[in-house]
């Protein structure tokens, strides 16, 4: 101004303009970070979900001194006398004249008495039929609509790990895998889900691979790290085949680039088996309970395996979705003492479940 010729005004700055500049700078930093992420992991289309763009979250585990062998292991899975008695009757029917009848029928998944007995008897090796029935059972209490979880049959694992010897077998497994993925998408679109659970039996050994779409990782739930170490040749082949074949199925059915080809494998702390045939029982419990925020050592231990076998059998046989009504009736009446003690009163009073045939255990 004329009064102050030695002073010149070079610009103005208000509080509002300063806030606008800061907001613009923040947006620029975010966009640059997001662009660098896209360059490393492929173009991402958000679908209304808060999908993480970072690597694996740090897993918080308790001190090792809070668990066995520093602290005596206690039973974490409790069973009732009724469940034990029904379990024993079911095992008896596994080698009776009824052994070839279906005792579990979830419409598209069926298990016969003999398969249930061979799988869940003490030290029995769990068959794929039983694991698939368990996955179907978990679907009812963990619907993808609410939990954003999908449980797949072991058939998918057979295709991923190339469990076939000729082109015809490969084609059949491929078609079954596509069918499973498309069916899962009807319950909830896969790319809007958080986790996909795959029970896998490779070279007569059970483990689980969880595809964490939310955290962008593969989690391996291995119940026998002593014989199947993460850096072993066994898992080198597993990782190579699973990654390649899962991505091929995803491209066919997922319909959205989730950066899957860049996912990495991470092994999770889960209870370890005491007997080689217990791996299937361990993975059934892991399928039911595991989540990135759940510390499995607090949920069960190897000492709980006998009770887990009893729980799983009762849960599947007496599920409301089990339509094998005649076989369940045979199981209830096979042992007169068990029938009179647990079921006769319900039959006499007419207190049935909605199926009209059997009552809850």
């Amino acid at each position: 101004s004329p009064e102050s010729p030695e002073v010149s005004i070079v610009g103005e700055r208000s509080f509002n303009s300063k806030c606008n500049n800061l907001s613009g700078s923040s947006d620029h930093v975010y966009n640059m970070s997001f662009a660098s992420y896209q360059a490393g992991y492929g173009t991402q289309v958000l679908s209304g979900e808060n999908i993480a763009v970072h690597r694996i979250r740090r897993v918080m585990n308790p001190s090792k001194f809070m668990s066995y062998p520093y602290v005596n292991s206690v039973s974490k899975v409790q069973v009732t006398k009724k469940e034990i008695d029904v379990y024993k009757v079911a095992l008896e029917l596994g080698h009776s004249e009824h052994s070839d009848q279906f005792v579990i029928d979830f419409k598209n998944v069926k298990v016969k008495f003999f398969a249930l007995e061979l799988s869940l008897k003490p030290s029995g090796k769990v068959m794929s039929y039983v694991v698939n029935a368990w996955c179907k059972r978990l679907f009812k209490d963990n619907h993808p609509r609410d939990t954003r979880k999908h449980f797949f049959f072991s058939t998918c694992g057979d295709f991923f790990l190339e469990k076939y010897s000729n082109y015809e077998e490969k084609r059949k497994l491929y078609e079954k895998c596509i069918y499973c993925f498309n069916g899962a998408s009807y319950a909830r679109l896969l790319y809007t889900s958080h986790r996909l659970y795959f029970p896998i039996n490779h070279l007569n050994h059970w483990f689980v691979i969880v595809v964490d779409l939310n955290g962008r990782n593969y989690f391996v739930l291995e119940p026998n790290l002593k014989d199947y170490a993460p850096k072993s040749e066994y898992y080198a082949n597993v990782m190579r085949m699973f990654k390649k074949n899962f991505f091929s199925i995803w491209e066919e059915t997922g319909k959205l680039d989730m950066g899957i080809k860049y996912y990495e494998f991470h092994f999770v702390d889960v209870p370890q088996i005491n007997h080689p045939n217990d791996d299937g029982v361990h993975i059934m419990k892991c399928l039911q309970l595991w989540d990135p925020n759940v510390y499995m050592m607090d949920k069960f231990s190897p000492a709980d395996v006998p009770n887990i076998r009893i729980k799983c059998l009762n849960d599947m046989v007496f599920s409301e979705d089990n339509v094998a009504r005649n076989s369940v009736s045979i199981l209830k009446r096979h042992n007169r003492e068990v029938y009179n003690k647990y079921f006769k009163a319900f039959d006499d009073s007419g207190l049935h479940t909605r199926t009209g045939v059997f009552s809850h255990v």
Side-chain angles (χ1 to χ4, degrees), residues 203-221:
L203 301 180
N204 202 35
H205 172 64
W206 283 104
F207 60 94
V208 177
I209 291 181
V210 181
V211 181
D212 184 13
L213 297 172
N214 192 43
R216 301 182 176 280
N217 292 283
Y218 297 119
F219 289 111
V220 182
L221 282 54

Side-chain angles (χ1 to χ4, degrees), residues 15 54 58 81 90 104 116 119 125 139 144 147 149 166 182-183 230 240 250 255 275 292 322 343 357:
F15 176 76
H54 47 70
R58 184 175 63 170
K81 183 64 166 62
I104 297 173
L116 193 66
S119 297
K125 185 74 172 181
F139 175 84
T147 63
K149 298 178 182 179
N166 54 59
N182 287 335
R240 174 184 56 81
W250 181 268
K255 311 303 183 186
H275 189 281
N322 184 13
F343 302 109
V357 176

Side-chain angles (χ1 to χ4, degrees), residues 15-228:
F15 176 76
N16 287 338
S17 63
K18 188 174 181 179
C19 288
N20 290 334
N21 290 336
L22 286 173
S23 299
S25 299
S26 176
D27 289 342
H28 176 71
V29 170
Y30 171 80
N31 291 334
M32 291 297 293
S33 174
F34 188 62
S36 63
Y37 167 75
Q38 287 181 328
Y41 295 97
T43 303
Q44 173 63 39
V45 180
L46 297 181
S47 58
E49 304 292 332
N50 295 320
I51 299 178
V53 297
H54 47 70
R55 301 313 299 154
I56 183 173
R57 295 180 177 87
R58 184 175 63 170
V59 178
M60 301 298 291
N61 291 331
S63 166
K64 67 178 181 179
F65 299 107
M66 296 295 291
S67 59
Y68 180 83
Y70 303 98
V71 177
N72 289 332
S73 178
V74 296
S75 179
K76 302 178 179 65
V77 180
Q78 303 294 328
V79 295
T80 65
K81 183 64 166 62
K82 184 177 185 179
E83 289 171 327
I84 295 172
D85 289 342
V86 170
Y87 171 78
K88 291 178 179 178
V89 173
L91 297 190
E92 290 178 10
L93 288 166
H95 44 81
S96 70
E97 67 274 15
H98 304 289
S99 62
D100 208 39
Q101 290 184 224
F102 291 111
V103 62
I104 297 173
D105 185 353
F106 294 144
K107 295 185 178 178
N108 59 337
V109 182
K110 300 180 181 181
V111 180
K112 294 182 178 181
F113 273 113
F114 82 89
L116 193 66
E117 187 263 338
L118 289 176
S119 297
L120 295 181
K121 69 180 182 181
S123 300
K125 185 74 172 181
V126 178
M127 295 181 174
S128 59
Y129 307 107
V130 175
V131 172
N132 292 341
W134 184 246
C135 288
K136 186 71 174 179
R137 176 68 186 90
L138 292 177
F139 175 84
K140 178 177 175 59
D141 296 331
N142 300 268
H143 196 284
R145 176 185 57 246
D146 305 314
T147 63
R148 301 178 188 271
K149 298 178 182 179
H150 286 283
F151 298 93
F152 290 83
F153 296 154
S154 61
T155 309
C156 294
D158 293 342
F159 175 76
F160 295 150
L161 298 192
E162 301 176 2
K163 201 172 178 179
Y164 45 78
S165 56
N166 54 59
Y167 175 79
E168 184 62 23
E169 291 180 0
K170 178 181 179 180
R171 184 185 63 80
K172 288 181 179 179
L173 282 177
Y174 175 80
E175 291 176 352
K176 289 180 180 179
C177 199
I178 293 291
Y179 177 81
C180 287
F181 271 63
N182 287 335
S185 292
Y186 282 115
R188 184 183 188 94
L189 292 174
L190 294 181
Y191 60 81
T192 68
S193 302
H194 288 174
R195 281 172 289 280
L196 315 179
Y197 291 72
F198 295 97
I200 297 175
N201 188 344
H202 183 53
L203 301 180
N204 202 35
H205 172 64
W206 283 104
F207 60 94
V208 177
I209 291 181
V210 181
V211 181
D212 184 13
L213 297 172
N214 192 43
R216 301 182 176 280
N217 292 283
Y218 297 119
F219 289 111
V220 182
L221 282 54
E222 172 52 66
N224 187 8
L225 290 171
K226 179 181 177 182
D227 297 326
Y228 300 91

Side-chain angles (χ1 to χ4, degrees), residues 271-287:
Q272 299 295 289
I273 62 176
N274 286 336
H275 189 281
N277 284 355
D278 290 344
D279 53 359
V281 180
H282 274 242
I283 68 110
M284 288 172 71
K285 201 64 177 174
C286 287
L287 286 167

